[in-house]
Amino acid sequence: QDETGDTLRLDYARNLTIVVFPDRTEVTLRNPWDSTGTLARYCLYEDDTKCRFKDQVAVHVPLRNAAVFGSVHGALIYELGAGESIGGICDIEYFNQPEIRRGVAEGRIANLGNSIQPSLEQIVDLGPDALMPSPFENSGGLGRMERTPLGRAEWMRFYGRLFGRTEEADSIFRIVESRYHSLCQRVCQAKHRPRLLPEMPWSGQWTLPGSGSSSTQLYADAGADYLFAHLKGNGGVPLSTEKVVDKGIDADIWLIKHHGKLDRKQMVADTPLLRNIKAPIWWCDTSETLLYEETPFHPERLLENLIAILHPELGIVAAHQYFVRLEE
């Protein structure tokens, strides 16, 4: 009780607290689905250290053999220079990172199967020092962890401390932060805000980001008039296709993420109502791009791409082109 730790200043993340002590680092994760509760408490230590609280999970760092379920974490770990610490992955079909695919092919990284029902036998054989599953609850997913793009990105500072890459993570985040704010300043020069419609229907429902989601904040920062910015919620909000099309008719740009080739004629054939939306489609083939791997921790890259689409008059050329114009 006499100890006083040094609380790390986090400017954007609201569900993460990091307190540094001489012999350990204590990390608290607030539950994003219940703001009054705690999701987890970790005690990160390098030498023999006793945890101060019974509800803390002791984690010996740096991690050396992690089982990584999500491609977004895998990409960050490699960027931090700790790729050798990935011992196994799930859902290899969603990992577009060349180094990880090569590691699985060569047997250096174990294929643990499906992330929903991973192979327990493979995990036991791997003997990982940590499991890193994606936090899903009620289809909220990672988007529920933070409400702003930079809030999500700032979590890299936690992962850097898990893998012994503290300075690298802090440095990368400051570059992300600076570039993001610089792009926002450029958007202030735009004279109009194109009306934006994102996503597409699936099984009769159209899931759109709510007003409290990081995607909605990103659209606003990119200078878009997101047609459904009024929807309440932090994550995805399901609506009927009829309701979305009724408002989507007014869209200037239609932004779609799709795994594999996209064909507008086939979309209309499958859902005739879509013929009423005349806006040009900009689409991202998530099977070919690194959208999901890169942009949660590098929102400035996606922001740059969106600004180039929404405001070509600003003359911004995106270095990372996730979305391209769909040929009619």
Side-chain angles (χ1 to χ4, degrees), residues 160-197:
R161 283 156 176 80
L162 285 175
F163 289 91
R165 296 292 191 274
T166 296
E167 293 182 3
E168 291 87 342
D170 290 350
S171 176
I172 292 171
F173 178 71
R174 292 308 170 200
I175 294 172
V176 170
E177 176 190 33
S178 175
R179 179 59 178 162
Y180 194 96
H181 286 312
S182 175
L183 288 166
C184 287
Q185 290 297 317
R186 292 287 301 276
V187 171
C188 292
Q189 302 171 21
K191 299 186 184 325
H192 70 292
R193 300 179 71 87
R195 292 164 295 191
L196 176 67
L197 174 66

Coordinates of all heavy atoms in Angstrom, one line a residue, residues 160-197:
G160 N 3.4 -3.8 -27.0 CA 4.8 -3.6 -27.0 C 5.4 -4.0 -25.7 O 6.5 -4.6 -25.7
R161 N 4.8 -3.8 -24.6 CA 5.3 -4.2 -23.3 C 5.2 -5.7 -23.0 O 5.9 -6.2 -22.3 CB 4.5 -3.4 -22.2 CG 5.0 -1.9 -22.1 CD 4.0 -1.0 -21.5 NE 4.7 0.4 -21.4 CZ 4.9 1.2 -22.4 NH1 4.4 0.9 -23.6 NH2 5.5 2.4 -22.2
L162 N 4.2 -6.3 -23.7 CA 4.1 -7.8 -23.6 C 5.3 -8.5 -24.3 O 5.7 -9.5 -23.9 CB 2.8 -8.2 -24.2 CG 1.5 -8.0 -23.4 CD1 0.3 -8.4 -24.3 CD2 1.5 -8.8 -22.1
F163 N 5.8 -7.9 -25.4 CA 6.8 -8.5 -26.2 C 8.2 -7.9 -26.1 O 9.1 -8.2 -26.9 CB 6.4 -8.5 -27.7 CG 5.2 -9.5 -27.9 CD1 3.9 -9.1 -27.9 CD2 5.5 -10.8 -28.2 CE1 2.8 -9.9 -28.1 CE2 4.4 -11.7 -28.5 CZ 3.1 -11.3 -28.4
G164 N 8.4 -7.1 -25.0 CA 9.7 -6.5 -24.8 C 10.0 -5.5 -25.9 O 11.2 -5.3 -26.2
R165 N 9.1 -4.8 -26.4 CA 9.3 -3.8 -27.5 C 8.6 -2.5 -27.1 O 7.9 -1.8 -27.9 CB 8.7 -4.3 -28.8 CG 9.4 -5.5 -29.4 CD 10.9 -5.2 -29.8 NE 11.5 -6.3 -30.6 CZ 12.1 -7.3 -30.1 NH1 12.1 -7.5 -28.7 NH2 12.6 -8.2 -30.9
T166 N 8.9 -2.1 -25.9 CA 8.2 -0.8 -25.3 C 8.6 0.4 -26.1 O 7.7 1.2 -26.6 CB 8.7 -0.6 -23.9 OG1 8.2 -1.7 -23.1 CG2 8.1 0.7 -23.3
E167 N 9.9 0.6 -26.4 CA 10.3 1.8 -27.1 C 9.8 1.8 -28.5 O 9.4 2.9 -29.0 CB 11.8 2.0 -27.0 CG 12.4 2.2 -25.6 CD 13.9 2.4 -25.6 OE1 14.5 2.4 -26.7 OE2 14.5 2.6 -24.5
E168 N 9.8 0.7 -29.2 CA 9.4 0.6 -30.5 C 7.9 0.9 -30.6 O 7.5 1.7 -31.5 CB 9.6 -0.8 -31.1 CG 11.1 -1.2 -31.3 CD 11.8 -1.8 -30.1 OE1 11.2 -1.6 -28.9 OE2 12.8 -2.4 -30.2
A169 N 7.1 0.4 -29.7 CA 5.7 0.6 -29.8 C 5.3 2.1 -29.5 O 4.5 2.7 -30.2 CB 5.0 -0.3 -28.7
D170 N 6.0 2.7 -28.5 CA 5.7 4.1 -28.2 C 6.1 5.0 -29.4 O 5.4 5.9 -29.7 CB 6.5 4.5 -27.0 CG 5.9 3.9 -25.7 OD1 4.8 3.3 -25.7 OD2 6.6 4.0 -24.6
S171 N 7.2 4.6 -30.0 CA 7.7 5.4 -31.2 C 6.8 5.3 -32.3 O 6.4 6.3 -33.0 CB 9.1 5.0 -31.5 OG 9.5 5.7 -32.7
I172 N 6.3 4.1 -32.7 CA 5.4 3.9 -33.8 C 4.1 4.6 -33.5 O 3.6 5.3 -34.5 CB 5.2 2.4 -34.0 CG1 6.4 1.7 -34.5 CG2 4.0 2.2 -35.0 CD1 6.3 0.2 -34.6
F173 N 3.6 4.6 -32.3 CA 2.3 5.2 -32.0 C 2.4 6.7 -32.2 O 1.5 7.4 -32.7 CB 1.8 4.9 -30.6 CG 0.5 5.6 -30.3 CD1 -0.6 5.2 -31.0 CD2 0.5 6.7 -29.5 CE1 -1.8 5.9 -30.7 CE2 -0.7 7.4 -29.3 CZ -1.9 7.0 -29.9
R174 N 3.5 7.3 -31.8 CA 3.7 8.8 -32.0 C 3.7 9.2 -33.4 O 3.2 10.2 -33.8 CB 5.0 9.3 -31.3 CG 4.9 9.2 -29.7 CD 3.6 9.8 -29.2 NE 3.4 9.5 -27.8 CZ 2.3 9.6 -27.1 NH1 1.2 10.0 -27.8 NH2 2.2 9.3 -25.9
I175 N 4.3 8.3 -34.3 CA 4.3 8.6 -35.7 C 2.8 8.5 -36.3 O 2.4 9.3 -37.0 CB 5.2 7.6 -36.4 CG1 6.7 7.9 -36.0 CG2 5.0 7.7 -37.9 CD1 7.6 6.8 -36.5
V176 N 2.1 7.5 -35.8 CA 0.7 7.3 -36.2 C -0.1 8.5 -35.8 O -0.9 9.1 -36.6 CB 0.1 6.0 -35.6 CG1 -1.4 6.0 -35.8 CG2 0.8 4.8 -36.2
E177 N 0.0 8.9 -34.6 CA -0.7 10.1 -34.0 C -0.4 11.3 -34.8 O -1.3 12.1 -35.2 CB -0.3 10.2 -32.6 CG -1.0 11.5 -31.9 CD -0.4 11.7 -30.5 OE1 0.8 11.5 -30.3 OE2 -1.1 12.2 -29.7
S178 N 0.9 11.6 -35.1 CA 1.2 12.8 -35.8 C 0.7 12.9 -37.2 O 0.1 13.9 -37.6 CB 2.8 12.9 -35.8 OG 3.2 14.1 -36.6
R179 N 0.8 11.7 -37.9 CA 0.3 11.7 -39.3 C -1.3 11.8 -39.3 O -1.8 12.5 -40.2 CB 0.7 10.4 -39.9 CG 0.2 10.2 -41.4 CD 0.7 11.3 -42.3 NE 0.3 11.1 -43.6 CZ 0.2 12.0 -44.6 NH1 0.6 13.3 -44.3 NH2 -0.2 11.8 -45.8
Y180 N -1.9 11.2 -38.3 CA -3.4 11.2 -38.3 C -3.9 12.7 -38.1 O -4.8 13.2 -38.8 CB -3.9 10.4 -37.2 CG -5.4 10.1 -37.2 CD1 -5.9 8.9 -37.8 CD2 -6.3 11.0 -36.7 CE1 -7.2 8.6 -37.9 CE2 -7.7 10.7 -36.8 CZ -8.1 9.5 -37.4 OH -9.5 9.3 -37.4
H181 N -3.3 13.4 -37.2 CA -3.7 14.8 -36.9 C -3.3 15.7 -38.1 O -4.1 16.6 -38.4 CB -3.0 15.3 -35.7 CG -3.6 14.7 -34.4 ND1 -4.9 14.7 -34.2 CD2 -3.0 14.2 -33.3 CE1 -5.2 14.2 -33.0 NE2 -4.0 13.8 -32.5
S182 N -2.2 15.4 -38.8 CA -1.8 16.2 -40.0 C -2.9 16.0 -41.1 O -3.2 17.0 -41.7 CB -0.4 15.7 -40.4 OG -0.1 16.4 -41.6
L183 N -3.3 14.8 -41.3 CA -4.4 14.6 -42.3 C -5.7 15.2 -41.9 O -6.4 15.8 -42.8 CB -4.6 13.0 -42.5 CG -3.4 12.3 -43.2 CD1 -3.6 10.8 -43.0 CD2 -3.4 12.7 -44.7
C184 N -6.0 15.2 -40.7 CA -7.3 15.9 -40.2 C -7.2 17.4 -40.5 O -8.2 18.0 -40.9 CB -7.5 15.7 -38.7 SG -8.0 14.0 -38.3
Q185 N -6.0 18.0 -40.4 CA -5.8 19.4 -40.7 C -6.1 19.7 -42.2 O -6.6 20.7 -42.6 CB -4.5 19.9 -40.3 CG -4.3 19.9 -38.8 CD -5.2 21.0 -38.1 OE1 -5.4 22.1 -38.6 NE2 -5.8 20.6 -37.0
R186 N -5.6 18.7 -43.0 CA -5.8 18.9 -44.5 C -7.3 18.8 -44.8 O -7.7 19.6 -45.7 CB -5.1 17.8 -45.2 CG -3.6 17.8 -45.1 CD -3.0 19.0 -46.0 NE -3.4 18.8 -47.4 CZ -2.7 18.1 -48.3 NH1 -1.7 17.4 -47.9 NH2 -3.1 18.0 -49.6
V187 N -8.0 18.0 -44.1 CA -9.5 17.9 -44.4 C -10.2 19.2 -44.1 O -11.2 19.5 -44.7 CB -10.1 16.7 -43.6 CG1 -11.6 16.7 -43.7 CG2 -9.5 15.4 -44.1
C188 N -9.7 20.0 -43.2 CA -10.3 21.2 -42.8 C -10.4 22.2 -44.1 O -11.2 23.1 -44.1 CB -9.6 21.9 -41.7 SG -9.7 21.1 -40.1
Q189 N -9.6 21.9 -45.1 CA -9.6 22.8 -46.3 C -10.7 22.4 -47.3 O -10.9 23.1 -48.2 CB -8.2 22.7 -47.0 CG -7.0 23.0 -46.1 CD -5.7 22.7 -46.7 OE1 -5.6 22.6 -47.9 NE2 -4.6 22.6 -45.9
A190 N -11.3 21.2 -47.0 CA -12.3 20.8 -48.0 C -13.6 21.6 -47.8 O -14.0 22.1 -46.8 CB -12.7 19.3 -47.7
K191 N -14.2 21.9 -49.0 CA -15.4 22.8 -49.0 C -16.7 22.0 -49.0 O -17.8 22.7 -48.8 CB -15.3 23.7 -50.3 CG -14.1 24.5 -50.4 CD -14.2 25.5 -51.5 CE -13.0 26.3 -51.8 NZ -12.3 26.8 -50.7
H192 N -16.7 20.7 -49.1 CA -18.0 20.0 -49.0 C -17.7 18.6 -48.3 O -16.6 18.2 -48.2 CB -18.5 19.7 -50.4 CG -17.7 18.8 -51.2 ND1 -16.4 19.1 -51.7 CD2 -18.0 17.5 -51.7 CE1 -16.0 18.0 -52.4 NE2 -16.9 17.1 -52.4
R193 N -18.8 18.0 -47.9 CA -18.7 16.7 -47.3 C -19.6 15.7 -48.0 O -20.8 15.7 -47.9 CB -19.1 16.7 -45.8 CG -18.3 17.7 -45.0 CD -18.8 17.8 -43.5 NE -18.5 16.6 -42.8 CZ -17.4 16.3 -42.1 NH1 -16.4 17.2 -42.1 NH2 -17.2 15.2 -41.5
P194 N -19.0 14.8 -48.9 CA -19.8 13.8 -49.6 C -20.5 12.9 -48.7 O -20.1 12.5 -47.7 CB -18.7 13.1 -50.4 CG -17.5 14.0 -50.5 CD -17.5 14.7 -49.2
R195 N -21.7 12.6 -49.2 CA -22.6 11.7 -48.4 C -22.1 10.2 -48.6 O -22.0 9.8 -49.7 CB -24.1 11.8 -48.8 CG -24.6 13.2 -48.5 CD -25.9 13.5 -49.2 NE -25.6 13.6 -50.7 CZ -26.5 14.1 -51.5 NH1 -27.7 14.4 -51.1 NH2 -26.2 14.1 -52.8
L196 N -21.8 9.6 -47.5 CA -21.2 8.3 -47.5 C -22.1 7.2 -47.0 O -22.8 7.3 -46.0 CB -19.9 8.3 -46.7 CG -19.2 6.9 -46.5 CD1 -18.6 6.5 -47.8 CD2 -18.1 7.1 -45.4
L197 N -22.2 6.1 -47.8 CA -22.9 4.8 -47.4 C -21.9 3.7 -47.3 O -21.2 3.4 -48.3 CB -24.0 4.5 -48.4 CG -24.7 3.1 -48.2 CD1 -25.5 3.2 -46.9 CD2 -25.6 2.8 -49.4

